[in-house]
Amino acid sequence: MVLDRQGYDDLIMYLTQNLALFEKPGEIKPGAPTIMALIEDDIAENVMLICQQNKALSTEQRSQIVREVDGIVYDLQEVLSSVTSNQVTIEQHAFIDEFAALVKNLFDSAVAEKI
């Protein structure tokens, strides 16, 4: 659906271009989640939105979305493995929110083509 598209390659390139955000210290709000927890929560929220906004998706299509999202989260975990248990900084939080929204956009485009 999206993992084999140029848009996903561009998204990973965007991540690699912004890795410096995860290598430098920054301001952490009290009670901030870990980087991995935020990634999982943000992406899960966006997957739920995709499914809510596209009620015509079949069970098979929804399963494919979940499988691919698992692959995306795995890729993020691999790239950010040395920092996933750190609390997220304010800058990292903004980037992760944006990244999750871009993932949703990829799926929105793919779903629009399939329906």
Side-chain angles (χ1 to χ4, degrees):
M1 187 172 271
V2 301
L3 294 180
D4 59 351
R5 292 180 176 224
Q6 181 62 43
Y8 184 67
D9 293 339
D10 294 342
L11 191 60
I12 294 301
M13 181 62 70
Y14 178 63
L15 172 64
T16 59
Q17 291 169 346
N18 286 281
L19 282 178
L21 281 175
F22 296 93
E23 297 168 354
K24 63 181 183 177
E27 184 181 348
I28 299 172
K29 288 186 178 179
T34 65
I35 290 172
M36 198 66 221
L38 180 63
I39 288 169
E40 290 171 344
D41 288 349
D42 273 7
I43 293 192
E45 261 183 53
N46 282 294
V47 168
M48 287 189 284
L49 280 173
I50 293 165
C51 293
Q52 289 171 353
Q53 293 168 346
N54 298 283
K55 297 193 185 300
L57 288 172
S58 68
T59 301
E60 183 178 317
Q61 289 169 319
R62 290 172 194 264
S63 294
Q64 183 179 6
I65 290 170
V66 170
R67 281 191 305 275
E68 290 203 11
V69 164
D70 284 345
I72 292 168
V73 171
Y74 178 81
D75 289 347
L76 288 169
Q77 192 170 18
E78 287 295 307
V79 171
L80 300 172
S81 63
S82 65
V83 297
T84 56
S85 60
N86 295 351
Q87 283 186 295
V88 68
T89 68
I90 292 170
E91 285 180 312
Q92 293 165 350
H93 197 294
F95 176 81
I96 291 168
D97 288 348
E98 180 183 12
F99 189 89
L102 292 170
V103 168
K104 181 183 180 298
N105 288 346
L106 284 176
F107 280 100
D108 285 340
S109 296
V111 165
E113 291 173 12
K114 297 217 182 243
I115 294 181

